[in-house]
Amino acid sequence: MSYGGTMAIDDSQRNFTRITLGSFLDKSVCRVSFGHTQTNKMVAAASDTAVHAAITGSSAAQTITTGITNPDVPRVLKVQPGGTSADVGNGTVQVTGTNVEGKTITDNFKLTDANTDEIDGTKAFKTVTSILIPKTEGTAATFSVGYTNKLGLYHRLFPDHTTIKVVYRSAAYGTPTLDTAPTVGDWDEQYIEKNFITPATAPDAAKIFDIFYTYDYWSVGEVSSYDEYLTSTSTSSTSSSTTTSYTTTSTSSTSSSSTSSSTSSTSSSTSSTSSSTSSTSSSTTTTTVP
């Protein structure tokens, strides 16, 4: 037999439950955590320009705060250099915004001279507030900011003993489909923006995603007495007993040898009827399990 306690945190996009399990002797042998992140909307496909359209390079650094569109759901961003590759140069595009907890975060995208390959970020953004473009080798380079298919989570993941599943549907109450195993981008117990996954089935603006994760932790704690966890209830049933005695009559005779005379006497004894009923008693002993 085992006992457990639960803790739940619920809102429109995050759900979390923790259960502690044990036996009569071992208080907390296993702690199981279960959480999930809901997108609550159709998730758009990855895009090179969803956050900001191409920004033309300049001989001076630029901080862009207008023309920005926030990601549809928390997700990892990307920078796409373009234009004339020779004008790109070395430098860092820095994006500033907030994570799912509303805290300010930044992500740095390293540019390489003459390279126009896509650069993926390492943090999931809920909002974007500014984009810093470094000075370039020429004014024919461009830089756009978009997002990847890496979806941010509302909980921190543990690197060990964690299982992740993804379910998607084509309508809010549509038939759910269990996806194959997602790719985990990172596990970070400190920074929530570093916890994200890539679904095996790519977002395409036609699917809602639910991301589920479980974590189990095993440890042997202090041995406790049996009674500490025992919850028992005993109730005696109502009983009724009735005893009834019956009337008996006996006759004795006395004889005399000389006169041949006899006298009979009658004795009668009647016992009373007695009835006893036991009352109902109830005793309950309850111990709250931590």
Side-chain angles (χ1 to χ4, degrees):
M1 182 180 292
S2 63
Y3 293 93
T6 62
M7 176 181 66
I9 304 171
D10 299 299
D11 64 22
S12 62
Q13 290 187 325
R14 69 191 82 182
N15 298 273
F16 181 80
T17 302
R18 175 170 293 152
I19 303 174
T20 301
L21 301 170
S23 67
F24 289 130
L25 295 178
D26 299 302
K27 183 176 181 181
S28 302
V29 173
C30 179
R31 293 182 177 88
V32 179
S33 299
F34 173 82
H36 96 278
T37 295
Q38 297 172 288
T39 62
N40 283 346
K41 62 175 66 176
M42 304 292 184
V43 180
S47 168
D48 291 342
T49 58
V51 174
H52 202 290
I55 303 165
T56 302
S58 172
S59 58
Q62 308 172 71
T63 298
I64 309 299
T65 57
T66 59
I68 296 173
T69 301
N70 290 323
D72 55 342
V73 296
R75 58 203 298 175
V76 176
L77 307 181
K78 65 178 178 177
V79 169
Q80 179 62 64
T84 302
S85 59
D87 286 355
V88 172
N90 294 316
T92 300
V93 174
Q94 185 179 81
V95 178
T96 301
T98 62
N99 63 17
V100 296
E101 295 176 336
K103 297 177 181 178
T104 299
I105 59 174
T106 60
D107 204 356
N108 295 320
F109 301 80
K110 298 292 185 181
L111 301 174
T112 303
D113 191 25
N115 192 339
T116 56
D117 292 340
E118 173 186 308
I119 308 168
D120 289 354
T122 59
K123 300 175 182 178
F125 282 75
K126 185 176 182 179
T127 68
V128 175
T129 55
S130 67
I131 303 166
L132 173 64
I133 305 295
K135 68 177 183 178
T136 58
E137 296 294 332
T139 58
T142 62
F143 307 91
S144 63
V145 180
Y147 43 63
T148 68
N149 285 329
K150 301 172 183 178
L151 307 182
L153 304 179
Y154 276 88
H155 301 99
R156 293 163 175 80
L157 300 179
F158 297 98
D160 299 312
H161 308 290
T162 299
T163 301
I164 301 177
K165 299 290 184 181
V166 173
V167 172
Y168 64 84
R169 63 193 76 230
S170 58
Y173 298 99
T175 302
T177 299
L178 180 63
D179 203 8
T180 55
T183 300
V184 180
D186 202 352
W187 322 73
D188 198 287
E189 300 174 38
Q190 183 176 5
Y191 300 104
I192 197 167
E193 62 270 17
K194 291 185 177 181
N195 294 271
F196 55 85
I197 62 97
T198 304
T201 300
D204 58 0
K207 295 181 181 66
I208 298 170
F209 288 87
D210 287 350
I211 306 162
F212 298 89
Y213 26 90
T214 61
Y215 167 76
D216 61 277
Y217 173 77
W218 294 81
S219 65
V220 178
E222 180 181 355
V223 175
S224 303
S225 67
Y226 175 89
D227 289 338
E228 183 177 351
Y229 295 95
L230 180 63
T231 300
S232 63
T233 301
S234 62
T235 303
S236 63
S237 60
T238 301
S239 61
S240 176
S241 62
T242 302
T243 304
T244 304
S245 61
Y246 298 91
T247 301
T248 61
T249 302
S250 62
T251 303
S252 63
S253 59
T254 302
S255 63
S256 175
S257 60
S258 59
T259 312
S260 185
S261 168
S262 65
T263 303
S264 64
S265 64
T266 300
S267 63
S268 178
S269 172
T270 302
S271 63
S272 62
T273 299
S274 65
S275 176
S276 65
T277 301
S278 64
S279 62
T280 300
S281 64
S282 177
S283 172
T284 302
T285 303
T286 303
T287 302
T288 302
V289 181

